[in-house]
């Protein structure tokens, strides 16, 4: 499990110490900064590029919302406050969770689990990589990561996605060059497949959404290697 860098911004020394102790007992968290909200602490939190920020709202020099507005990074923000009235405004800043003081270790751990899950989701979420193609005499944007497979159709290729099929004037070689080499493989003279979409395979064919696609013998070893590298 990765260790996540944490910062505490809290004006109460007592509350800071309590939170520091809780963090120190959590093997997934590493405390890198703890102070009240000031311009200096804001600059340092930005510089440290923390993963988690534990933030109070009512502070003398700069309140929590002013601190949030000054962030140049996007950590998982967990608000810690004595007053429930700040919850609505806090979530308008897209914070991860709101802990009402005093909170239990169990409630703290729930907030941490939620934050870690969000980080994992963001990390694993496939960014869109779009290419422009001509389909039915119109320019269409295709999200490359949504392609299931590509099939040769004479002077055309059929691009199969989860939503629909696109018939595009192109050779297989030309279209293959527009795809990411580590995400797609031409497993047969008539087929290119998205490695992420492969549901099962043997050394004769692969299966993508009940479609059996033949594998060229020359591609078996390369397919094995690439599929074993897919996260």
């Amino acid at each position: 499990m990765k260790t996540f860098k944490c910062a505490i911004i809290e004006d109460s020394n007592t509350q800071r110490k309590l939170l520091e102790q809780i963090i120190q007992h959590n093997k997934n968290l590493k405390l890198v900064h703890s102070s009240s909200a000031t311009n200096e602490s804001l600059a340092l939190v930005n510089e440290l590029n923390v993963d988690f920020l534990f933030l109070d709202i009512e502070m003398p020099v700069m309140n929590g919302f002013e601190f949030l507005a000054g962030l140049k990074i996007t950590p998982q923000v967990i608000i810690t406050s004595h007053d429930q009235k700040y919850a609505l405004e806090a979530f308008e800043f897209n914070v991860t969770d709101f802990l009402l003081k005093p909170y239990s270790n169990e409630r703290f751990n729930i907030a941490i689990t939620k934050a870690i899950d969000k980080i994992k989701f963001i990390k694993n979420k496939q960014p869109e990589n779009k290419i422009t193609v001509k389909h039915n005499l119109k320019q269409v944007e295709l999200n490359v990561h949504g392609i299931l497979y590509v099939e040769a159709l004479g002077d055309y290729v059929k691009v199969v996605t989860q939503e629909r099929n696109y018939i595009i004037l192109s050779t297989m070689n030309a279209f293959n060059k527009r795809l990411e080499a580590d995400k797609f493989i031409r497993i047969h003279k008539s087929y290119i497949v998205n490695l992420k979409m492969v549901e099962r395979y043997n050394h004769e064919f692969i299966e993508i959404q009940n479609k059996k696609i033949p594998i060229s013998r020359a591609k078996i070893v390369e397919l094995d290697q690439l599929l074993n590298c897919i996260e």
Side-chain angles (χ1 to χ4, degrees), residues 9 33 35-50 53 55 62-73:
I9 301 298
H33 178 73
S35 71
S36 186
T38 63
N39 288 324
E40 291 75 17
S41 64
L42 176 60
L44 187 56
V45 167
N46 280 321
E47 182 182 340
L48 290 169
N49 194 23
V50 300
L53 174 61
L55 181 65
M62 178 188 298
N63 70 41
F65 296 125
E66 291 170 333
F67 197 93
L68 283 175
L71 286 176
K72 296 177 182 178
I73 58 174

Side-chain angles (χ1 to χ4, degrees), residues 9-40:
I9 301 298
E10 162 72 66
D11 69 313
S12 165
N13 288 330
T14 301
Q15 291 294 330
R16 260 207 318 270
K17 293 298 181 185
L18 287 172
L19 191 49
E20 287 170 7
Q21 289 174 9
I22 296 174
I23 290 172
Q24 286 168 3
H25 286 90
N26 191 305
K27 63 182 180 180
N28 298 323
L29 306 181
K30 179 182 179 181
L31 184 63
V32 296
H33 178 73
S34 182
S35 71
S36 186
T38 63
N39 288 324
E40 291 75 17

Side-chain angles (χ1 to χ4, degrees), residues 14 17 19 34 42 45 55 64 67 80 83 91 93 98 126 135 143 147 164 182 219 229:
T14 301
K17 293 298 181 185
L19 191 49
S34 182
L42 176 60
V45 167
L55 181 65
F67 197 93
T80 59
D83 202 328
F91 284 110
F93 278 88
F98 187 101
Q126 196 70 267
H135 170 75
N143 175 19
I147 295 173
R164 59 174 299 179
D182 61 334
K219 290 292 183 177
C229 291

Side-chain angles (χ1 to χ4, degrees), residues 2-230:
K2 176 185 174 182
T3 301
F4 299 97
K5 295 185 295 183
C6 304
I8 301 169
I9 301 298
E10 162 72 66
D11 69 313
S12 165
N13 288 330
T14 301
Q15 291 294 330
R16 260 207 318 270
K17 293 298 181 185
L18 287 172
L19 191 49
E20 287 170 7
Q21 289 174 9
I22 296 174
I23 290 172
Q24 286 168 3
H25 286 90
N26 191 305
K27 63 182 180 180
N28 298 323
L29 306 181
K30 179 182 179 181
L31 184 63
V32 296
H33 178 73
S34 182
S35 71
S36 186
T38 63
N39 288 324
E40 291 75 17
S41 64
L42 176 60
L44 187 56
V45 167
N46 280 321
E47 182 182 340
L48 290 169
N49 194 23
V50 300
D51 301 298
F52 289 1
L53 174 61
F54 298 92
L55 181 65
D56 191 16
I57 297 298
E58 293 182 324
M59 290 177 283
V61 177
M62 178 188 298
N63 70 41
F65 296 125
E66 291 170 333
F67 197 93
L68 283 175
L71 286 176
K72 296 177 182 178
I73 58 174
T74 54
Q76 299 298 310
V77 179
I78 298 173
I79 298 295
T80 59
S81 176
H82 283 293
D83 202 328
Q84 186 73 39
K85 71 181 182 183
Y86 296 116
L88 182 59
E89 188 174 357
F91 284 110
E92 288 176 355
F93 278 88
N94 198 31
V95 303
T96 304
D97 209 341
F98 187 101
L99 298 182
L100 189 64
K101 301 173 185 176
Y103 46 83
S104 65
N105 283 355
E106 181 182 4
R107 182 63 183 85
F108 176 88
N109 288 329
I110 289 171
I112 295 303
T113 299
K114 184 189 296 186
I116 291 174
D117 286 345
K118 284 187 70 174
I119 290 174
K120 288 179 179 177
F121 175 78
I122 292 167
K123 180 181 177 182
N124 294 329
K125 187 178 179 182
Q126 196 70 267
E128 287 196 352
N129 177 16
K130 293 186 177 181
I131 58 174
T132 303
V133 298
K134 184 175 283 188
H135 170 75
N136 285 344
L137 304 179
K138 294 180 180 179
Q139 297 290 337
V140 178
E141 278 194 338
L142 281 183
N143 175 19
V144 171
H145 297 132
I147 295 173
L148 302 178
Y149 61 90
V150 181
E151 182 178 357
L153 291 178
D155 294 331
Y156 295 81
V157 296
K158 179 170 74 172
V159 180
V160 179
T161 73
Q162 292 175 326
E163 292 78 28
R164 59 174 299 179
N165 300 339
Y166 298 86
I167 306 301
I168 299 162
L169 180 62
S170 174
T171 65
M172 289 288 278
N173 282 337
F175 198 82
N176 197 30
K177 289 177 182 177
R178 303 183 69 182
L179 303 173
E180 297 161 281
D182 61 334
K183 305 288 193 307
F184 289 82
I185 178 175
R186 187 172 182 180
I187 60 168
H188 185 276
K189 65 180 181 179
S190 298
Y191 290 97
I192 301 166
V193 300
N194 185 341
L195 291 162
K196 286 275 190 179
M197 300 298 181
V198 175
E199 295 169 353
R200 59 183 63 87
Y201 79 105
N202 56 32
H203 287 176
E204 295 181 2
F205 63 84
I206 69 162
E207 191 169 326
I208 298 177
Q209 293 194 359
N210 298 320
K211 168 73 173 181
K212 289 185 177 180
I213 300 173
I215 303 172
S216 166
R217 287 185 179 180
K219 290 292 183 177
I220 291 172
V221 173
E222 183 183 357
L223 178 66
D224 277 334
Q225 291 173 340
L226 288 171
L227 284 173
N228 286 331
C229 291
I230 289 288

